[in-house]
Amino acid sequence: MNISVLTLVGNRPGHLAQTIEGLRRSEVAPMELIIVDMASDPPVAAMETPFPTRIVRLETSGLPLAAARNAAARAARGELLLFLDVDCIPMRGLIPAIGRACVGRDALICAPVRYLGPEDARGDWEEADLFSRSSGHPVRDFPATGLREEDNPGLFWSLVFAIRRDTFFKLGGFDEAFTGYGAEDTDFGFRAKEAQLPLLFMGGPGVFHQFHDTFDPPFQHFRDILRNAGIFHEKWEQWPMPGWLAAFERAGLIAWSESGITVLHEPDAAQIERARLSHVPFAVPAETGHRPPA
């Protein structure tokens, strides 16, 4: 099966370089790599790779994640689309494993993620060393081997997933009504479930997530999250990202009820900085699909 690898980048040249290095080391090379450049400054430059690489430039502001993923899928030629976040280094066995998993099977398949520390994969690296230094996520439960069907579409994550190209477009791609950060991937998972497309968690080789500062809660994406939460609620009659919305409410930024969200004030620079996690490889994600407390 021909596999196109798709990634999005906005001003993360170091992460992109290590992700491409992981693809160079893959047991099976991808048919192609599609890079969607979300207005990086300077723009992503052409590079030598042992597989065809194409760059699609989006002149835009912010993080148009849904539109960028759709642009990547339109540019791709492979039968199977493997989406990788730009900070995810693929393990050597990921491409052949996910290719085998998709043979004779139409599904949305997520692979495991192992999180690296601040000093890992900053220069030369060996996969065995990264594996020993990394840790899995405490919430996302992947099988050791094989495939496990996951019934909760809110657990779909877009860091690393595969889907047949024709199936992606039958679903309509990502909903571009979601702009900026948050909920566009959860909505995609919900639409896959509505279309009776199985969500499968694959054991075995996955990716190494390169370290970068995270924020818990992500106050810096406050407006994006509220706007996208409202769009999601209107479509699905439930609130996404309830952990983050609850954190915003505890911080006195919003009033939140089943009927809607009222903004009380914006997060200030000090609140954003206090939420920064500079030495923790991940923030536990907000659970999905719960309603606000009565």
Side-chain angles (χ1 to χ4, degrees):
M1 181 175 289
N2 294 326
I3 299 177
S4 296
V5 174
L6 290 65
T7 194
L8 322 177
V9 61
N11 296 313
R12 289 195 183 181
H15 284 162
L16 177 62
Q18 294 290 23
T19 295
I20 291 173
E21 179 60 24
L23 291 172
R24 284 194 180 102
R25 302 185 191 192
S26 177
E27 293 173 1
V28 175
M31 172 187 172
E32 62 184 354
L33 169 63
I34 306 296
I35 302 169
V36 175
D37 179 6
M38 300 181 293
S40 295
D41 184 17
V44 173
M47 60 207 76
E48 289 189 15
T49 56
F51 38 79
T53 297
R54 287 182 288 145
I55 300 169
V56 178
R57 174 83 173 177
L58 288 187
E59 296 292 350
T60 184
S61 59
L63 288 172
L65 299 176
R69 291 195 189 101
N70 290 345
R74 286 193 298 271
R77 299 168 183 164
E79 301 168 77
L80 185 68
L81 306 179
L82 173 56
F83 287 84
L84 293 179
D85 273 12
V86 73
D87 51 15
C88 290
I89 301 172
M91 297 179 191
R92 287 174 51 84
L94 172 63
I95 289 177
I98 215 157
R100 288 191 298 269
C102 291
V103 172
R105 181 181 286 114
D106 196 13
L108 185 58
I109 300 182
C110 295
V113 178
R114 293 185 65 84
Y115 289 82
L116 299 171
E119 304 305 319
D120 300 327
R122 296 308 191 205
D124 293 337
W125 50 268
E126 295 296 332
E127 183 170 309
D129 184 52
L130 293 187
F131 196 92
S132 68
R133 291 172 175 269
S134 60
S135 59
H137 201 284
V139 172
R140 308 283 179 168
D141 181 27
F142 281 78
T145 60
L147 297 165
R148 177 176 62 78
E149 186 164 357
E150 174 54 60
D151 189 56
N152 180 0
L155 291 181
F156 167 70
W157 60 4
S158 55
L159 282 79
V160 49
F161 74 95
I163 185 172
R164 291 176 180 269
R165 188 178 188 275
D166 59 351
T167 302
F168 180 87
F169 287 109
K170 285 176 186 175
L171 288 176
F174 284 83
D175 185 346
E176 295 184 22
F178 294 92
T179 57
Y181 183 86
E184 87 292 337
D185 50 357
T186 307
D187 172 76
F188 189 78
F190 271 58
R191 286 191 289 114
K193 183 175 179 66
E194 185 178 57
Q196 299 183 326
L197 184 70
L199 172 61
L200 303 179
F201 282 9
M202 183 184 82
V207 299
F208 297 109
H209 183 275
Q210 300 175 72
F211 183 89
H212 54 81
D213 284 1
T214 57
F215 294 79
D216 189 19
F219 288 130
Q220 80 278 22
H221 296 302
F222 179 71
R223 280 292 176 178
D224 284 354
I225 288 170
L226 295 190
R227 180 183 59 253
N228 289 341
I231 294 169
F232 187 96
H233 184 264
E234 185 175 348
K235 288 182 70 171
W236 300 105
E237 297 184 342
Q238 56 183 293
W239 291 103
M241 307 173 286
W244 290 342
L245 295 179
F248 293 166
E249 187 174 44
R250 288 194 300 271
L253 302 180
I254 63 172
W256 177 35
S257 69
E258 179 55 38
S259 59
I261 296 171
T262 301
V263 177
L264 304 179
H265 66 84
E266 301 281 332
D268 59 32
Q271 282 177 302
I272 294 172
E273 189 58 31
R274 285 196 298 271
R276 183 188 298 271
L277 304 176
S278 297
H279 301 288
V280 179
F282 52 79
V284 175
E287 65 275 20
T288 302
H290 296 177
R291 298 178 182 272

